[in-house]
């Protein structure tokens, strides 16, 4: 495994906060895993592109950047193709590559930053589709047994921005994922705004590539590009609450956006809760809330991870005071013990 000279993490997290770790490695080949014992790693953490993590402090242990790259079709039938993607491959490039192969299933997930290996960690989702819709297999390195094994997607406990991997952080390192993609497009256009976007682009009979283009256009309009304004996408998850509680909230706040879920539950809009608590567009120093999208926290320049986290905590308290609901962070938060 290649040890990098610098242990600085600023260029390895999309919040662009300064932090360092004990040692920084790059995993470029799976055969490097055989050497792991020799390295005597301390509390190792695997990182992809760093677009869903906030370092509020230096990381006391070793960090391994997943740089396993490559993708190929490993099997195909008349209707489907099975695609294996190495964990360090760029996600958006993987989406574009799949479309070039004439495969559909990933088009709604275009332009999500990060690596393919991180995609199952929070079961990435956008525009009505989650990776769980196409994920078949995940090959992991199990740090408990120091061995690789293949896991079926249904054993990964994939849920809304959730998985077994989030619940047991650092036990499993994802080495590659296998996706079942369709050779016969079954487009998902139900998400609000997507059909209108295609109409406005003059597309009458959309193909998968048109859907990807529409998604990219919508995302470019709505979301700040981390290369220009450092952020990690949505900072809070949409709360999922019992329908009884929803009815109580709707009595006082009939405009609260909500979407039905299984088991008499509903998902409610965290962005609406934050805006209604007065935090949209708020800025303290260089840490702020996007004026366009209340879910996105931004490092406008020199904010530290601790300052971004303090802002997040203030928002959480305000929402708790007003609605008695506790927002949960979507990115992984690295804090001092
Ligand atoms: C502008 C913007 C928009 C976004 N939009 C969306 C969106 O629409 N939907 C969505 O779901 N997410 C979204 N995100 C969040 C982010 O893109 C995803 O969570 C992405 O999957 C993170 O990939 P990464 O490689 O950057 O992960 P990292 O930030 O590097 O890691 C995230 C977590 O996964 C772990 N991890 C990473 N790789 C591995 C691996 N190979 N094995 C084991 N653990 C690993 C890390 O330890 C960490 O806990 C957005 C982020 C940004 C900046």
């Amino acid at each position: 495994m290649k040890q990098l000279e610098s242990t600085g993490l600023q260029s390895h997290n999309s919040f662009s906060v300064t932090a360092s770790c004990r040692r920084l490695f790059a995993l470029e080949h799976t055969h490097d895993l055989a050497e792991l014992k020799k390295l005597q790693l301390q509390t190792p953490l695997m990182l992809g592109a760093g677009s869903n993590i906030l370092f509020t402090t230096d990381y006391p242990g070793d960090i391994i950047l997943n740089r396993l790259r490559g993708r190929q079709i490993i099997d195909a039938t008349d209707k489907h193709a099975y695609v294996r993607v190495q964990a360090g491959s760029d996600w958006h490039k993987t989406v574009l590559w799949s479309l070039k192969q004439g495969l559909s299933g990933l088009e709604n997930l275009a332009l999500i930053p990060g690596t393919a290996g991180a995609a199952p960690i929070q079961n990435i989702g956008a525009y009505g589709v989650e990776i769980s819709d196409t994920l078949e297999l995940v090959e992991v390195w199990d740090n408990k047994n120091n061995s690789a094994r293949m896991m079926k997607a249904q054993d990964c406990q994939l849920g809304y921005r959730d998985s077994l991997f989030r619940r047991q952080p650092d036990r499993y390192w994802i080495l590659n994922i296998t996706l079942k993609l369709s050779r016969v497009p079954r487009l998902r256009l139900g998400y609000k705004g997507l059909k209108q976007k295609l109409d406005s682009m003059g597309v009458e009979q959309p193909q998968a590539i048109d859907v990807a283009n529409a998604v990219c256009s919508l995302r470019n309009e709505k979301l700040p590009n981390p290369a220009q304004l450092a952020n990690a996408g949505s900072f809070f998850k949409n709360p999922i609450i019992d329908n009884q509680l929803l009815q109580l909230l709707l009595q006082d706040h009939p405009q609260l956006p909500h979407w039905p879920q299984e088991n008499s539950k509903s998902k409610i809009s965290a962005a609406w809760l934050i805006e209604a608590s007065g935090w949209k567009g708020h800025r303290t120093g260089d840490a702020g809330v996007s004026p366009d999208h209340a879910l996105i926290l931004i490092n406008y320049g020199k904010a530290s991870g601790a300052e971004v986290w303090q802002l997040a905590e203030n928002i959480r308290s305000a929402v708790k005071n007003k609605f008695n609901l506790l927002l949960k962070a979507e990115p992984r938060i690295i804090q001092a013990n």
Side-chain angles (χ1 to χ4, degrees):
M1 195 135 49
K2 192 159 105 189
Q3 182 169 355
L4 305 184
E5 266 178 37
S6 164
T7 55
L9 298 172
Q10 190 172 23
S11 61
H12 299 294
N13 74 95
S14 66
F15 263 124
S16 194
V17 296
T18 51
S20 65
C21 57
R22 182 174 168 263
R23 290 180 297 175
L24 187 60
F25 295 94
L27 173 65
E28 291 174 342
H29 307 283
T30 42
H31 58 72
D32 290 347
L33 293 163
E35 293 174 17
L36 277 178
K37 272 201 176 149
K38 277 193 242 155
L39 296 174
Q40 299 188 321
L41 296 173
Q42 282 187 19
T43 53
L45 178 140
M46 181 158 277
L47 206 57
S51 59
N52 209 24
I53 195 159
L54 175 63
F55 292 95
T56 69
T57 176
D58 290 335
Y59 187 71
D62 299 317
I63 291 191
I64 296 163
L65 302 172
N66 192 314
R67 298 235 176 106
L68 301 171
R69 301 222 167 104
R71 42 183 95 84
Q72 63 183 131
I73 295 174
I74 55 165
D75 200 1
T77 64
D78 287 352
K79 292 188 179 154
H80 294 105
Y82 293 84
V83 164
R84 182 152 297 158
V85 189
Q86 300 305 313
S89 308
D90 179 81
W91 175 257
H92 177 61
K93 285 188 185 152
T94 301
V95 174
L96 297 180
W97 173 86
S98 70
L99 293 167
K100 267 202 180 145
Q101 312 302 310
L103 301 172
S104 91
L106 304 183
E107 52 278 1
N108 297 46
L109 302 177
L111 218 56
I112 297 182
T115 55
I121 305 283
Q122 70 156 358
N123 185 21
I124 56 167
Y127 295 92
V129 171
E130 291 177 326
I131 195 178
S132 55
D133 297 326
T134 48
L135 188 69
E136 282 285 296
L137 298 168
V138 179
E139 189 174 10
V140 296
W141 178 262
D142 185 344
N143 280 303
K144 199 167 168 190
N145 315 321
N146 288 311
S147 61
R149 75 180 158 106
M150 204 53 107
M151 295 174 75
K152 290 186 183 153
Q154 56 264 40
D155 296 331
C156 297
Q157 300 174 22
L158 300 167
Y160 165 64
R161 303 294 185 271
D162 197 18
S163 71
L164 169 74
F165 311 114
R166 265 188 84 118
R167 292 181 202 172
Q168 295 186 29
D170 306 323
R171 170 160 177 190
Y172 301 103
W173 291 341
I174 295 180
L175 304 178
N176 61 61
I177 60 174
T178 305
L179 303 163
K180 182 182 177 184
L181 302 182
S182 185
R183 304 176 87 159
V184 188
R186 283 194 3 252
L187 303 182
R188 307 272 288 270
L189 305 178
Y191 198 87
K192 199 175 140 224
L194 193 47
K195 185 75 184 64
Q196 288 93 313
K197 184 55 154 181
L198 286 161
D199 290 344
S200 76
M201 290 163 67
V203 179
E204 284 173 13
Q205 291 187 321
Q207 306 294 308
I209 184 72
D210 301 313
V211 178
N213 287 337
V215 165
C216 290
S217 172
L218 284 166
R219 292 182 71 98
N220 284 330
E221 283 165 18
K222 279 192 193 167
L223 302 174
N225 178 349
Q228 282 139 21
L229 275 181
N231 76 89
S234 299
F235 195 88
F236 296 104
K237 296 189 198 188
N238 288 320
I240 295 181
I241 59 172
D242 286 333
N243 285 341
Q244 278 177 334
L245 177 56
L246 174 68
Q247 291 313 320
L248 287 176
L249 283 167
L250 287 174
Q251 283 174 14
D252 290 336
H253 310 284
Q255 325 83 322
L256 172 62
H258 56 281
W259 304 273
Q261 305 290 299
E262 291 171 349
N263 303 326
S264 310
K265 291 187 185 283
S266 292
K267 193 191 276 179
I268 60 174
S269 164
W272 188 91
L273 297 172
I274 295 168
E275 189 170 352
S277 305
W279 285 81
K280 189 173 177 182
H282 175 95
R283 183 167 168 175
T284 307
D286 271 351
V289 183
S290 162
D292 304 315
H293 200 315
L295 268 190
I296 298 186
L297 302 194
I298 292 175
N299 173 8
Y300 283 100
K302 291 203 162 75
S304 66
E307 285 164 344
V308 174
W309 182 237
Q310 185 57 57
L311 173 67
E313 289 278 43
N314 293 344
I315 294 170
R316 272 155 53 101
S317 304
V319 170
K320 176 88 174 75
N321 288 340
K322 191 167 170 75
F323 298 102
N324 200 23
L325 290 168
L326 198 56
L327 294 178
K328 287 188 185 150
E330 196 178 291
R332 175 151 179 197
I333 312 295
I334 302 297
Q335 287 174 293
N337 284 331

